[in-house]
Coordinates of all heavy atoms in Angstrom, one line a residue:
A1 N -8.6 -8.2 2.6 CA -7.6 -9.0 3.4 C -7.4 -8.2 4.8 O -7.6 -7.1 4.9 CB -6.2 -8.9 2.7
A2 N -7.1 -9.0 5.7 CA -6.9 -8.5 7.1 C -5.9 -9.4 7.8 O -5.9 -10.6 7.7 CB -8.2 -8.4 7.8
G3 N -5.0 -8.8 8.6 CA -4.1 -9.5 9.5 C -4.1 -8.9 10.9 O -4.9 -8.1 11.3
N4 N -3.0 -9.2 11.6 CA -2.9 -8.7 13.0 C -2.8 -7.1 13.0 O -3.1 -6.5 14.0 CB -1.7 -9.2 13.7 CG -1.9 -10.8 14.0 OD1 -3.0 -11.3 14.1 ND2 -0.8 -11.6 14.0
H5 N -2.2 -6.6 12.0 CA -1.9 -5.1 12.0 C -2.4 -4.4 10.8 O -2.5 -3.2 10.9 CB -0.3 -5.0 12.0 CG 0.4 -5.7 13.2 ND1 0.4 -5.3 14.4 CD2 1.1 -6.8 13.0 CE1 1.0 -6.2 15.1 NE2 1.6 -7.0 14.4
N6 N -2.7 -5.0 9.7 CA -3.1 -4.2 8.5 C -4.5 -4.7 8.0 O -4.9 -5.9 8.2 CB -2.0 -4.4 7.5 CG -0.7 -4.0 7.9 OD1 -0.5 -2.8 8.2 ND2 0.3 -4.9 7.8
Q7 N -5.1 -3.9 7.3 CA -6.3 -4.2 6.5 C -6.1 -3.8 5.0 O -5.5 -2.8 4.7 CB -7.5 -3.4 7.1 CG -8.0 -3.9 8.4 CD -9.2 -3.2 8.9 OE1 -9.5 -2.1 8.4 NE2 -9.9 -3.7 9.8
G8 N -6.7 -4.6 4.1 CA -6.5 -4.4 2.7 C -8.0 -4.1 2.3 O -8.9 -5.0 2.5
I9 N -8.3 -3.0 1.6 CA -9.8 -2.7 1.2 C -9.8 -2.3 -0.3 O -8.9 -1.6 -0.7 CB -10.1 -1.5 2.1 CG1 -10.1 -1.8 3.6 CG2 -11.6 -1.0 1.7 CD1 -9.0 -1.1 4.3
R10 N -10.7 -2.9 -0.9 CA -11.1 -2.5 -2.2 C -12.0 -1.3 -2.2 O -13.1 -1.4 -1.7 CB -11.7 -3.7 -3.0 CG -12.1 -3.5 -4.5 CD -12.7 -4.7 -5.0 NE -13.2 -4.5 -6.4 CZ -14.3 -4.1 -6.7 NH1 -15.2 -3.8 -5.9 NH2 -14.6 -4.0 -8.0
I11 N -11.5 -0.2 -2.8 CA -12.3 1.1 -2.8 C -12.8 1.2 -4.2 O -12.0 1.2 -5.3 CB -11.3 2.2 -2.5 CG1 -10.8 2.1 -1.1 CG2 -12.1 3.5 -2.6 CD1 -11.7 2.1 0.1
E12 N -14.1 1.3 -4.4 CA -14.8 1.6 -5.7 C -15.2 3.1 -5.7 O -15.8 3.6 -4.7 CB -16.0 0.7 -5.8 CG -16.7 0.9 -7.2 CD -18.0 0.0 -7.3 OE1 -18.3 -0.7 -6.4 OE2 -18.6 0.2 -8.4
T13 N -14.8 3.7 -6.8 CA -15.1 5.1 -6.9 C -15.6 5.4 -8.3 O -15.7 4.6 -9.2 CB -13.8 6.0 -6.7 OG1 -13.0 5.9 -8.0 CG2 -13.0 5.5 -5.5
N14 N -16.0 6.7 -8.5 CA -16.5 7.1 -9.8 C -15.4 7.2 -10.8 O -15.6 7.4 -12.1 CB -17.2 8.5 -9.7 CG -16.2 9.6 -9.2 OD1 -15.3 9.3 -8.4 ND2 -16.3 10.7 -9.9
D15 N -14.1 7.0 -10.4 CA -12.9 7.0 -11.3 C -12.3 5.7 -11.3 O -11.0 5.5 -11.6 CB -12.1 8.0 -10.8 CG -11.0 8.4 -11.9 OD1 -11.3 8.3 -13.1 OD2 -9.8 8.8 -11.5
G16 N -12.9 4.5 -10.9 CA -12.3 3.3 -11.0 C -12.1 2.7 -9.6 O -12.5 3.3 -8.6
N17 N -11.5 1.6 -9.6 CA -11.1 0.9 -8.3 C -9.7 1.1 -7.8 O -8.8 1.2 -8.6 CB -11.4 -0.6 -8.4 CG -12.8 -1.0 -8.8 OD1 -13.7 -0.2 -8.3 ND2 -13.1 -2.0 -9.5
F18 N -9.5 1.1 -6.5 CA -8.3 1.3 -5.9 C -8.0 0.3 -4.7 O -9.1 -0.2 -4.2 CB -8.0 2.7 -5.4 CG -8.3 3.8 -6.5 CD1 -9.4 4.4 -6.7 CD2 -7.0 4.2 -7.2 CE1 -9.6 5.3 -7.7 CE2 -7.2 5.2 -8.1 CZ -8.4 5.7 -8.5
F19 N -6.8 0.1 -4.3 CA -6.5 -0.7 -3.2 C -6.0 0.1 -2.1 O -5.0 0.9 -2.3 CB -5.5 -1.8 -3.5 CG -5.2 -2.7 -2.5 CD1 -6.0 -3.7 -2.1 CD2 -4.0 -2.5 -1.7 CE1 -5.8 -4.6 -1.0 CE2 -3.7 -3.4 -0.6 CZ -4.5 -4.5 -0.3
L20 N -6.6 0.0 -0.9 CA -6.2 0.8 0.3 C -5.6 -0.1 1.3 O -6.3 -1.1 1.7 CB -7.4 1.6 0.7 CG -7.2 2.4 2.1 CD1 -6.1 3.5 1.8 CD2 -8.5 3.0 2.5
K21 N -4.5 0.2 1.8 CA -3.8 -0.5 3.0 C -3.9 0.4 4.1 O -3.4 1.6 4.1 CB -2.4 -1.0 2.7 CG -1.9 -1.8 3.7 CD -0.4 -2.3 3.3 CE 0.2 -3.2 4.4 NZ 1.5 -3.7 3.9
L22 N -4.5 0.0 5.2 CA -4.6 0.7 6.5 C -3.9 0.0 7.6 O -3.9 -1.3 7.7 CB -6.0 0.9 6.9 CG -6.8 1.8 6.1 CD1 -8.3 1.8 6.6 CD2 -6.3 3.3 6.0
N23 N -3.2 0.7 8.6 CA -2.8 0.2 9.8 C -2.7 1.4 10.8 O -2.7 2.5 10.4 CB -1.5 -0.6 9.8 CG -0.3 0.3 9.7 OD1 -0.1 1.2 10.5 ND2 0.7 -0.1 8.9
F24 N -2.9 1.1 12.1 CA -3.0 2.1 13.1 C -2.2 1.8 14.3 O -2.3 2.6 15.3 CB -4.5 2.2 13.6 CG -5.1 0.9 14.1 CD1 -4.9 0.6 15.4 CD2 -5.7 0.0 13.2 CE1 -5.6 -0.7 15.8 CE2 -6.3 -1.1 13.7 CZ -6.2 -1.4 15.0
D25 N -1.2 0.9 14.3 CA -0.4 0.7 15.5 C 1.1 0.6 15.2 O 1.8 0.0 16.0 CB -0.9 -0.6 16.2 CG -0.8 -1.8 15.3 OD1 -0.5 -1.7 14.0 OD2 -0.9 -2.9 15.8
H26 N 1.5 1.3 14.1 CA 3.0 1.2 13.8 C 3.6 2.6 13.7 O 2.9 3.6 13.9 CB 3.2 0.4 12.5 CG 2.9 -1.1 12.6 ND1 2.2 -1.7 11.7 CD2 3.1 -1.9 13.7 CE1 2.0 -2.9 12.0 NE2 2.5 -3.1 13.2
E27 N 4.8 2.7 13.3 CA 5.5 4.0 13.2 C 4.7 4.7 12.1 O 4.2 4.2 11.1 CB 6.9 3.7 12.6 CG 7.8 3.0 13.6 CD 8.1 3.8 14.8 OE1 8.0 5.0 14.8 OE2 8.5 3.2 15.9
K28 N 4.6 6.0 12.2 CA 3.8 6.8 11.4 C 4.3 6.9 9.9 O 3.5 7.2 9.0 CB 3.7 8.2 11.9 CG 3.0 8.3 13.2 CD 2.9 9.8 13.7 CE 2.1 9.8 15.1 NZ 1.9 11.2 15.6
D29 N 5.6 6.6 9.6 CA 6.0 6.6 8.3 C 6.1 5.2 7.6 O 6.7 5.1 6.6 CB 7.4 7.3 8.2 CG 8.5 6.5 8.9 OD1 8.2 5.6 9.7 OD2 9.6 6.8 8.6
I30 N 5.6 4.2 8.3 CA 5.8 2.8 7.7 C 5.2 2.6 6.4 O 5.9 1.9 5.6 CB 5.3 1.7 8.8 CG1 5.8 0.3 8.4 CG2 3.9 1.8 8.9 CD1 5.6 -0.7 9.5
L31 N 4.1 3.1 6.1 CA 3.5 2.9 4.8 C 4.1 3.9 3.8 O 4.1 3.6 2.5 CB 2.0 2.9 4.8 CG 1.4 1.9 5.6 CD1 -0.2 1.9 5.5 CD2 1.9 0.4 5.2
N32 N 4.7 5.0 4.2 CA 5.4 5.8 3.3 C 6.6 5.1 2.8 O 6.9 5.2 1.5 CB 5.9 7.2 4.0 CG 4.7 8.0 4.6 OD1 3.9 7.5 5.4 ND2 4.6 9.2 4.1
K33 N 7.3 4.4 3.6 CA 8.5 3.6 3.2 C 8.1 2.5 2.3 O 8.7 2.2 1.4 CB 9.2 3.0 4.5 CG 9.7 4.1 5.4 CD 10.7 5.0 4.7 CE 11.4 6.0 5.7 NZ 12.4 6.8 5.1
E34 N 7.0 1.9 2.6 CA 6.4 0.8 1.7 C 6.1 1.3 0.3 O 6.5 0.8 -0.7 CB 5.2 0.2 2.3 CG 4.7 -1.0 1.5 CD 3.6 -1.7 2.1 OE1 3.7 -1.9 3.3 OE2 2.7 -2.3 1.5
S35 N 5.7 2.6 0.2 CA 5.3 3.2 -1.0 C 6.6 3.4 -1.8 O 6.8 3.3 -3.0 CB 4.6 4.5 -0.8 OG 4.4 5.2 -2.0
Q36 N 7.7 3.9 -1.1 CA 9.0 4.2 -1.7 C 9.5 2.8 -2.2 O 10.1 2.8 -3.4 CB 10.0 4.7 -0.7 CG 9.6 6.2 -0.3 CD 10.6 6.7 0.8 OE1 11.6 6.0 1.1 NE2 10.4 7.9 1.3
G37 N 9.4 1.8 -1.4 CA 9.9 0.5 -1.9 C 9.2 0.0 -3.2 O 9.8 -0.6 -4.0
L38 N 7.8 0.2 -3.3 CA 7.1 -0.2 -4.5 C 7.7 0.6 -5.6 O 7.7 0.1 -6.8 CB 5.6 0.1 -4.2 CG 5.0 -0.9 -3.3 CD1 3.5 -0.5 -3.0 CD2 4.9 -2.3 -3.8
D39 N 7.9 1.9 -5.4 CA 8.4 2.8 -6.5 C 9.8 2.2 -7.0 O 10.0 2.2 -8.2 CB 8.5 4.2 -6.1 CG 7.1 4.9 -5.8 OD1 6.2 4.3 -6.4 OD2 7.1 5.9 -5.1
Y40 N 10.7 1.9 -6.0 CA 12.0 1.3 -6.4 C 11.8 0.1 -7.2 O 12.4 -0.1 -8.3 CB 12.8 0.9 -5.1 CG 13.4 2.2 -4.4 CD1 13.2 2.3 -3.1 CD2 14.1 3.1 -5.1 CE1 13.8 3.5 -2.4 CE2 14.7 4.2 -4.5 CZ 14.6 4.3 -3.2 OH 15.1 5.4 -2.5
L41 N 10.9 -0.9 -6.8 CA 10.7 -2.1 -7.5 C 10.1 -1.8 -8.9 O 10.6 -2.4 -9.9 CB 9.6 -3.0 -6.7 CG 10.2 -3.6 -5.5 CD1 9.0 -4.4 -4.7 CD2 11.3 -4.7 -5.9
R42 N 9.2 -0.9 -9.0 CA 8.5 -0.6 -10.3 C 9.5 -0.1 -11.3 O 9.4 -0.4 -12.6 CB 7.4 0.3 -10.1 CG 6.4 0.4 -11.3 CD 5.2 1.2 -11.0 NE 5.4 2.4 -10.3 CZ 5.2 2.6 -9.0 NH1 4.7 1.6 -8.3 NH2 5.4 3.8 -8.5
K43 N 10.6 0.6 -10.8 CA 11.6 1.1 -11.8 C 12.6 0.1 -12.1 O 13.4 0.4 -13.0 CB 12.3 2.4 -11.1 CG 11.3 3.5 -10.8 CD 12.0 4.6 -10.1 CE 11.1 5.8 -9.8 NZ 11.7 6.8 -8.9
N44 N 12.6 -1.0 -11.5 CA 13.8 -2.0 -11.7 C 13.3 -3.4 -12.0 O 14.1 -4.2 -12.0 CB 14.6 -2.0 -10.4 CG 15.4 -0.8 -10.2 OD1 16.5 -0.6 -10.8 ND2 15.0 0.2 -9.4
T45 N 12.0 -3.5 -12.5 CA 11.6 -4.9 -12.8 C 10.5 -4.8 -13.9 O 9.8 -3.8 -14.0 CB 11.1 -5.7 -11.6 OG1 10.7 -6.9 -12.1 CG2 9.8 -5.0 -11.0
F46 N 10.5 -5.8 -14.8 CA 9.4 -6.0 -15.7 C 8.1 -6.5 -15.2 O 7.1 -6.6 -15.8 CB 9.8 -6.7 -16.9 CG 10.2 -8.2 -16.7 CD1 9.2 -9.1 -16.5 CD2 11.5 -8.5 -16.5 CE1 9.5 -10.5 -16.3 CE2 11.9 -9.9 -16.3 CZ 10.9 -10.8 -16.2
L47 N 8.2 -7.0 -13.9 CA 7.0 -7.6 -13.2 C 6.1 -6.5 -13.0 O 6.5 -5.3 -12.8 CB 7.4 -8.3 -12.0 CG 8.3 -9.6 -12.2 CD1 8.8 -10.1 -10.8 CD2 7.6 -10.6 -12.8
Q48 N 4.8 -6.8 -12.9 CA 3.7 -5.8 -12.6 C 3.8 -5.4 -11.1 O 3.5 -6.3 -10.2 CB 2.4 -6.3 -13.1 CG 1.3 -5.2 -12.8 CD -0.1 -5.7 -13.3 OE1 -0.3 -6.9 -13.6 NE2 -0.9 -4.8 -13.5

């Protein structure tokens, strides 16, 4: 996936697959905050 600001990459490794989100033109902590948001969601919903 790719947009104006972000790229989504499927990373294949010797330990399985991962999803990598990259961006290079925003605040330096923007994806740290997104990670925190995902953690909040995971603790408060039965959705995956």
